[in-house]
Amino acid sequence: EAGVTQFPSHSVIEKGQTVTLRCDPISGHDNLYWYRRVMGKEIKFLLHFVKESKQDESGMPNNRFLAERTGGTYSTLKVQPAELEDSGVYFCASSPNQGSLSYEQYFGPGTRLTVT
Amino acid sequence: GDSVTQMEGPVTLSEEAFLTINCTYTATGYPSLFWYVQYPGEGLQLLLKATKADDKGSNKGFEATYRKETTSFHLEKGSVQVSDSAVYFCALLDDKIIFGKGTRLHILP
């Protein structure tokens, strides 16, 4: 069974540009999560989808970040316009349980975003 | 709010040495506790977990005991191997997962 995949693995963009990160969860997983690790700091929760609905987006830093999960399958996270402080590693995770958060989350390898 | 504090890295040990990575937490409730590991080039993997006080999680020779009285969940392994080189994250689950900053472990042959 394929794990959680993320694309691209690394992205380098200039300040002010737009970047879209993609996450493909494990097939059949209703829950999808985005996290971010800024250099030297904690991995922080960004948001949680249950199927195509946003269950919790309390961790989204500001309105330059837009996450979608049309059709309840893969998800995209768009940053527009990107700022220097957006640099970091963006992790996606999925879990099979419906409803509330489950600790059995399966993580992808992450996308390293560098904004110059 | 809830938080997790773990020892700063990097930690460098020789093969077969004893490992301890300290982790303490602050939480208003009674969270579940976890250690995740990220090997080079891979995603985060759940290493072990404990869901209530005095529970001991174990996996791959690693152990951690949920200590409510000291609000700790220290990771230990009796004899490390080169293949244990990775970044280790302590985490708690209350209504969402909260991670520590991670500790990079280097094991020298």
Side-chain angles (χ1 to χ4, degrees):
Chain A
E1 179 185 287
V4 176
T5 57
Q6 294 186 243
F7 182 82
S9 57
H10 192 185
S11 179
V12 181
I13 61 171
E14 293 182 353
K15 176 182 171 181
Q17 289 185 322
T18 297
V19 63
T20 300
L21 313 181
R22 173 171 169 144
C23 169
D24 286 78
I26 293 172
S27 178
H29 282 195
D30 289 336
N31 293 286
L32 187 149
Y33 314 86
W34 283 99
Y35 296 86
R36 175 174 75 168
R37 186 186 189 202
V38 173
M39 184 62 67
K41 297 194 174 181
E42 300 87 349
I43 300 171
K44 289 203 170 178
F45 168 85
L46 296 179
L47 88 160
H48 169 208
F49 283 99
V50 177
K51 297 185 179 178
E52 67 274 12
S53 300
K54 292 176 185 174
Q55 181 79 7
D56 180 353
E57 53 183 330
S58 60
M60 294 288 266
N62 51 61
N63 59 9
R64 296 185 292 103
F65 288 76
L66 175 64
E68 294 181 322
R69 193 183 181 195
T70 307
T73 54
Y74 71 90
S75 174
T76 57
L77 180 65
K78 180 189 287 188
V79 185
Q80 179 182 28
E83 298 290 345
L84 297 178
E85 64 264 24
D86 300 332
S87 296
V89 181
Y90 290 76
F91 291 101
C92 176
S94 70
S95 71
N97 295 350
Q98 292 188 4
S100 62
L101 185 69
S102 164
Y103 58 71
E104 297 289 353
Q105 296 185 20
Y106 299 84
F107 282 81
T111 293
R112 181 175 296 278
L113 174 64
T114 302
V115 183
T116 62
Chain B
D2 294 358
S3 66
V4 174
T5 303
Q6 61 183 103
M7 63 190 292
E8 298 278 335
V11 173
T12 302
L13 296 172
S14 297
E15 203 165 25
E16 299 183 3
F18 184 86
L19 168 71
T20 300
I21 300 178
N22 289 338
C23 172
T24 57
Y25 66 91
T26 302
T28 53
Y30 299 96
S32 295
L33 302 174
F34 313 94
W35 278 98
Y36 283 85
V37 59
Q38 185 179 22
Y39 298 104
E42 299 184 17
L44 285 167
Q45 300 174 24
L46 180 63
L47 179 61
L48 52 84
K49 65 181 185 285
T51 58
K52 61 183 187 296
D54 300 324
D55 269 3
K56 178 186 282 187
S58 61
N59 186 23
K60 299 182 180 180
F62 291 89
E63 294 183 339
T65 301
Y66 191 142
R67 300 286 188 201
K68 195 174 99 175
E69 64 276 12
T70 54
T71 62
S72 65
F73 193 54
H74 305 321
L75 183 68
E76 297 181 335
K77 186 173 185 180
S79 177
V80 292
Q81 305 300 313
V82 172
S83 57
D84 294 326
S85 297
V87 182
Y88 292 81
F89 295 90
C90 186
L92 67 82
L93 171 64
D94 201 344
D95 62 335
K96 53 176 62 73
I97 293 184
I98 295 173
F99 289 90
K101 291 185 179 182
T103 302
R104 184 174 297 277
L105 176 65
H106 294 289
I107 305 301
L108 303 175

